[in-house]
Amino acid sequence: TRAAWLRVRGYMDGRLRDYLGERFVERPVFHAPSVSDSLASACRDAPTLDVGQAQGLRLRGEPFLGSQLSCVASTGGYTKRTHSGLAVFRLPIEVPARYRVAVTTAVPGIGWNSVADTLLALRRDCQAPESELSCNDDERVELGSLSGVSHELERGDYFVLVGNVAPGPMDVTLFVEQDQALSTERTGGEGVHAE
């Protein structure tokens, strides 16, 4: 004589399925995003930031030797400086116009600070601070501590550098678009649209 437990499931008519046993799915292995350890390597490996498409990178917590960003803060007139590594993006421009480049999200990974405090610089030559066209601490106070710049750009390659005021690793996402309102003001009519 034997005893057995029988498990029965009831399904609504037409919603039957075969029991195939436990179906385990392998857990994906986590691979931390790579970070650059110098400005030279960040410039060399800079991903392309295309107009109208968001692009993300991780920057390391420690600053690059001799390669910090420094901007006069939008509020108060004092100078802020990065104390982290830098994320660098290459920005190719095909259509001359006014463009806005901005940090849309930033996750600082710092326990005491829930909002990242970014600095963003726009350069013609990635490793040459003297080629800087614009630098920003806080684009608009009401948007918080994320950076952004609007600038008239000619056809060619530019570089966008982003760092954090506080030390610590950070994931940043950037977005670039034509600044339609400013382009309209400049042309006195419809804004210039990229194809």
Side-chain angles (χ1 to χ4, degrees):
T1 301
R2 295 185 179 185
W5 290 99
L6 178 66
R7 184 172 67 177
V8 179
R9 291 183 177 179
Y11 294 90
M12 294 177 67
D13 189 29
R15 297 192 178 183
L16 302 176
R17 70 174 176 86
D18 292 333
Y19 177 68
L20 302 175
E22 297 289 350
R23 283 169 282 178
F24 296 105
V25 177
E26 271 194 52
R27 293 183 181 181
V29 178
F30 174 73
H31 297 286
S34 60
V35 295
S36 298
D37 59 3
S38 68
L39 182 59
S41 65
C43 293
R44 182 189 65 236
D45 302 331
T48 301
L49 181 61
D50 291 318
V51 176
Q53 295 183 2
Q55 177 71 269
L57 270 181
R58 174 168 290 182
L59 55 87
R60 73 178 200 167
E62 303 78 26
F64 297 157
L65 185 63
S67 299
Q68 293 174 298
L69 297 182
S70 179
C71 291
V72 176
S74 339
T75 55
Y78 57 93
T79 301
K80 279 191 177 179
R81 181 181 299 274
T82 56
H83 291 90
S84 69
L86 299 174
V88 178
F89 301 83
R90 185 178 68 86
L91 174 59
I93 296 297
E94 297 293 331
V95 179
R98 189 168 190 93
Y99 290 87
R100 175 179 176 266
V101 184
V103 178
T104 58
T105 60
V107 183
I110 300 170
W112 51 265
N113 188 1
S114 60
V115 179
D117 192 355
T118 59
L119 295 183
L120 181 149
L122 181 63
R123 294 179 179 176
R124 284 305 301 252
D125 184 332
C126 187
Q127 297 189 61
E130 62 274 12
S131 72
E132 191 169 281
L133 301 173
S134 187
C135 186
N136 177 262
D137 170 32
D138 302 331
E139 183 179 23
R140 296 212 311 260
V141 175
E142 65 271 19
L143 296 180
S145 299
L146 298 182
S147 307
V149 297
S150 289
H151 205 278
E152 199 80 27
L153 300 178
E154 298 299 324
R155 185 184 175 101
D157 281 349
Y158 298 82
F159 292 89
V160 183
L161 292 76
V162 182
N164 197 15
V165 169
M170 184 169 69
D171 292 326
V172 292
T173 302
L174 270 67
F175 187 79
V176 58
E177 61 187 343
Q178 279 197 28
D179 198 328
Q180 296 298 335
L182 294 172
S183 292
T184 300
E185 289 174 9
R186 181 190 61 159
T187 58
E190 292 296 319
V192 179
H193 296 273
E195 293 295 326

